[in-house]
C-alpha cells in the first residue's frame, strides 16, 4: 500500500463509508438534448417531481483494501455500468484529493434500464453517499452540479419535492433547486408498467439524436414560455391547465424522438393503449393526465382525491402489468 493511501485511510477513516437513498423523478418539462455532452449541459431547463415509490439505496466505501472499484448494482456486476460509476467516483476522488478505490453496492426497488429513470436515482444516491464517504462537505447546490455530471436528470433527485434544473451557461451555473416543497400539492403519480424488457437505445445515446429532428429548434424557441406557464400552474394548483401542459410536453419530446435520424420509438403498443385509455377517462369526467420518459411506461398524474377511482379503473386494463403509486417525495438523504 502506498504511504499516501495509508495516510488518507487513517486520516479519513471515520468518513470513508456512507449510505444514501434517493428517489427517481418524473420530468414535467423534459430534458432532451444537450448543448455540451461532456459537461452534460442540457439544451433547456427542466422541471420534475421526485417520486416516493421509486428509489435507489447506495453504499460507497473507499478503502485501501480495494485494488480497483467494485460496483454491484442489484446484486450484479456489469462492466458498462461499472465504468460509468467509476468515472463518477473519479470526479469525487478529484474533489476530495484522494486516490483510494471504492466498493459500491446499489439497489433499486424497480427494474432498471426500463425507462423508469434508474440513472436519476442511481447517480443522486451515488453522489451523496460518495461525497460523504470521501469526506467532502458540499452544499446542496454543489451536490446537484456533481450529480449532473454523472447523469443529467440525477441533479433533480437531490432537492426536495418539485424541482427545477436551470440549464446554466457553464458547469457551476447548471444546477437544480427545490421550486416547491414535497407537501406543497397533494398529487398522485401512478407509474403503470407495461411489457418492455431492457431498452435498446440508452437515454444518453438518445440525447445525441435530438438535434437531428427539424422540430428541435422550434421546441427550444418556445420552451422558456412553457416553463414560466408550468411554474404558475403549480403555484396556483391549477390542475387542469397543469395536466394539459404536462401531457402535451411529453408528446412534444416524443415527437422529437420519432422525427430524429434514426427515429427513436420508446413506445410499445401498450403505451398508446394506456394513453388512449386515460384520454377516454378524461372525456368521461375524471381529470387524469399522462407523461412518458424514455421508455414505454405511462406515468399518470391526478389529484390525490381521485387516486382511488383511477387505480380501480386501471385494474381493468390488461396491458398494465403493475402499478406503482407515487407521491411527491423528498430528495436524496443520507442513511445512518
Ligand atoms: C427522457 O438524465 O438519463 O428522462 O444525462 O445522458 O444520463 P443522461 O440522460 P438522462 O436523461 C433523461 C431523459 C428523460 C427526460 C427527463 O428526465 O427530463
Amino acid at each position: 500500500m502506498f504511504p499516501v493511501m495509508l495516510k488518507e485511510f487513517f486520516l479519513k477513516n471515520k468518513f470513508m463509508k456512507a449510505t444514501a437513498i434517493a428517489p427517481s423523478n418524473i420530468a414535467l418539462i423534459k430534458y432532451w438534448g444537450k448543448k455540451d455532452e461532456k459537461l452534460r449541459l442540457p439544451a433547456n431547463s427542466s422541471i420534475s417531481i421526485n417520486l416516493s415509490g421509486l428509489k435507489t439505496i447506495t453504499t460507497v466505501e473507499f478503502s485501501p483494501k480495494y485494488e480497483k472499484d467494485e460496483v454491484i448494482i442489484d446484486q450484479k456486476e456489469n462492466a458498462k455500468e461499472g465504468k460509468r460509476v467509476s468515472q463518477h467516483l473519479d470526479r469525487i476522488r478529484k474533489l476530495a484529493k484522494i486516490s483510494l478505490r471504492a466498493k459500491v453496492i446499489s439497489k433499486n426497488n424497480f427494474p432498471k434500464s426500463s425507462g423508469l429513470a434508474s440513472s436519476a436515482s442511481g447517480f443522486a444516491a451515488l453522489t451523496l453517499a460518495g461525497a460523504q464517504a470521501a469526506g467532502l462537505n458540499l452544499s446542496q447546490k454543489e451536490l446537484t452540479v456533481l450529480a449532473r455530471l454523472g447523469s443529467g436528470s440525477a441533479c433533480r433527485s437531490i432537492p426536495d419535492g418539485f424541482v427545477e434544473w436551470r440549464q446554466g451557461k457553464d458547469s457551476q451555473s447548471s444546477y437544480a433547486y427545490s421550486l416547491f416543497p414535497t407537501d406543497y400539492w397533494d398529487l398522485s403519480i401512478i407509474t403503470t408498467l407495461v411489457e418492455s424488457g431492457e431498452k435498446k437505445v440508452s437515454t444518453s445515446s438518445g440525447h445525441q439524436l435530438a438535434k437531428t429532428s427539424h422540430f428541435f429548434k422550434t421546441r427550444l424557441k418556445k420552451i422558456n414560455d412553457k416553463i414560466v406557464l408550468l411554474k404558475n400552474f403549480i403555484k396556483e394548483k391549477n390542475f387542469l391547465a397543469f395536466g394539459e401542459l404536462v401531457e402535451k410536453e411529453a408528446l412534444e419530446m416524443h415527437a422529437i424522438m420519432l422525427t430524429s435520424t434514426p427515429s427513436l420509438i420508446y413506445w410499445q403498443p401498450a403505451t398508446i393503449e394506456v394513453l388512449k385509455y386515460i384520454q377516454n377517462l378524461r372525456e368521461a369526467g375524471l381529470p387524469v393526465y399522462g407523461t412518458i420518459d424514455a421508455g414505454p411506461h405511462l406515468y399518470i398524474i391526478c389529484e390525490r382525491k381521485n387516486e382511488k377511482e383511477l387505480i380501480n379503473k386501471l385494474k381493468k386494463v390488461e396491458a398494465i402489468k403493475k402499478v406503482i403509486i407515487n407521491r411527491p417525495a423528498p430528495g436524496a438523504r443520507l442513511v445512518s
Side-chain angles (χ1 to χ4, degrees), residues 27 31 34 40 84 119 151-153 156 203-204 207 293-294:
Y31 149 50
K34 298 173 195 173
R40 281 198 155 79
R84 195 166 163 189
S119 72
S151 175
S153 55
R156 297 188 311 234
T203 313
S204 296
H207 278 287
D293 272 351

Side-chain angles (χ1 to χ4, degrees), residues 71-322:
V71 181
I72 298 160
I73 304 174
D74 290 334
Q75 286 158 354
K76 280 187 219 123
E77 287 186 69
N78 171 312
K80 204 171 149 206
E81 282 168 350
K83 193 171 164 216
R84 195 166 163 189
V85 169
S86 204
Q87 284 166 346
H88 201 54
L89 293 172
D90 285 343
R91 295 181 187 109
I92 294 170
R93 280 188 279 256
K94 199 171 163 201
L95 282 174
K97 299 189 177 61
I98 59 170
S99 54
L100 294 170
R101 302 292 109 182
K103 182 165 188 171
V104 176
I105 300 177
S106 189
K107 284 190 201 109
N108 295 301
N109 72 343
F110 56 93
K112 66 182 173 62
S113 298
S114 60
L116 288 186
S118 62
S119 72
S121 52
F123 278 92
L126 176 68
T127 301
L128 184 57
Q132 175 77 6
L136 287 170
N137 193 6
L138 302 181
S139 65
Q140 185 180 80
K141 184 175 166 184
E142 288 166 333
L143 283 167
T144 73
V145 168
L146 183 57
R148 188 203 78 233
L149 292 162
S151 175
S153 55
C155 72
R156 297 188 311 234
S157 286
I158 301 268
D160 290 346
F162 298 76
V163 177
E164 176 172 17
W165 170 14
R166 290 214 169 116
Q167 56 169 315
K169 291 191 172 67
D170 53 21
S171 196
Q172 293 317 306
S173 58
S174 187
Y175 66 95
Y177 69 102
S178 183
L179 272 177
F180 297 97
T182 305
D183 60 0
Y184 183 72
W185 197 4
D186 243 356
L187 295 180
S188 293
I189 305 105
I190 312 298
T191 312
T192 59
L193 289 161
V194 297
E195 213 67 72
S196 64
E198 293 240 335
K199 62 183 178 194
K200 293 197 185 84
V201 180
S202 73
T203 313
S204 296
S205 316
H207 278 287
Q208 296 176 8
L209 302 178
K211 49 183 165 302
T212 66
S213 165
H214 296 312
F215 301 132
F216 191 53
K217 275 198 184 125
T218 310
R219 166 171 169 75
L220 293 184
K221 258 188 222 154
K222 310 215 164 193
I223 198 108
N224 287 338
D225 295 345
K226 217 194 243 193
I227 288 175
V228 172
L229 274 180
L230 184 76
K231 284 196 225 173
N232 269 330
F233 295 151
I234 301 175
K235 192 170 166 207
E236 294 160 1
K237 301 185 185 167
N238 180 346
F239 186 73
L240 297 186
F242 164 88
E244 282 285 336
L245 192 155
V246 166
E247 190 169 301
K248 268 199 198 146
E249 159 62 5
L251 294 175
E252 185 176 298
M253 177 185 72
H254 283 271
I256 302 290
M257 293 168 168
L258 295 171
T259 52
S260 296
T261 308
S263 171
L264 256 187
I265 309 176
Y266 283 117
W267 295 345
Q268 293 290 336
T271 313
I272 309 291
E273 195 182 323
V274 181
L275 180 62
K276 289 211 165 247
Y277 183 77
I278 63 156
Q279 288 181 340
N280 287 340
L281 287 182
R282 208 153 64 219
E283 267 164 39
L286 189 65
V288 294
Y289 293 88
T291 182
I292 315 163
D293 272 351
H297 317 291
L298 220 84
Y299 293 71
I300 308 173
I301 309 181
C302 67
E303 289 171 290
R304 183 87 67 89
K305 61 179 185 218
N306 293 319
E307 179 189 288
K308 214 165 159 199
E309 189 177 346
L310 173 63
I311 299 282
N312 278 333
K313 300 265 190 219
L314 295 178
K315 282 185 188 143
K316 294 181 205 132
V317 186
E318 255 180 57
I320 299 175
K321 301 297 167 210
K322 192 181 167 185

